Structures are given as structure tokens and as C-alpha cells.
Amino acid sequence: MEHKQGDYPADIIISLHDLPVGKSATVSSIQAAGFTRRRMLDLGLVPGTRVKALRISPAGDPKAYRIRGAVIAFRKEEAQQILIKYKGE
């Protein structure tokens, strides 16, 4: 299928928490500070890292993500501090 210039949806910046299950995106920036920021960086969450939302708990929080081959769960308040570039549908 051929695409003309401008046919592709633009990247939008959303929080990791808003990434739909089954979709992937790229880390844009980390808004957290202190120990939480250090933990996120230690997990490999640096700009350019691909993340995929895998599943969500029955209660809706936390949500599990594949990050650099590992499955890591973040609660809503943590995931909202991670901004991602997401190419919508």
C-alpha cells in the first residue's frame, strides 16, 4: 500500500499510563524527580526506549509494560510521569 506524504499520523505526546494495551510507543522524557527518577532510569527508561503496554490489572492499576525485554508494572501515578511519543491509529 502506498502512502502519500502527510498520510501518516503524527506522533503525539501522552503519558505512559494512557498507552492502550497492545500498543507500543517511544519514551520522550521522564518528569519524575529524585529516587523515582533514578529508579526509572535504572530500568532503562531513557528517551528513545520502546515500550509496549501488555496488560492491566482487573482493578485498573497497575499496568504492565515490556521495557527492554523485561516486564515491569507501574502504578498510575508513576506511569503518568513518563511521557511517550505515540503514533495513534
Side-chain angles (χ1 to χ4, degrees):
M1 179 176 181
E2 286 189 37
H3 292 275
K4 294 182 229 166
Q5 187 175 9
D7 282 355
Y8 294 101
D11 288 342
I12 56 173
I13 303 293
I14 60 174
S15 76
L16 183 61
H17 178 74
D18 296 327
L19 182 64
V21 171
K23 301 295 181 182
S24 297
T26 304
V27 174
S28 175
S29 65
I30 306 292
Q31 302 297 303
F35 177 77
T36 302
R37 180 181 179 81
R38 182 74 253 164
R39 178 176 170 255
M40 290 175 179
L41 293 173
D42 287 346
L43 292 171
L45 281 168
V46 295
T49 300
R50 293 290 294 173
V51 295
K52 181 177 183 179
L54 295 179
R55 62 186 67 97
I56 190 166
S57 75
D61 194 31
K63 205 170 183 181
Y65 305 91
R66 179 167 308 281
I67 302 168
R68 297 185 180 266
V71 177
I72 299 168
F74 286 111
R75 297 214 172 269
K76 180 179 179 179
E77 57 270 11
E78 295 170 322
Q80 286 180 326
Q81 298 178 48
I82 301 166
L83 299 183
I84 56 171
K85 291 180 192 171
Y86 175 62
K87 198 173 294 240
E89 297 295 323

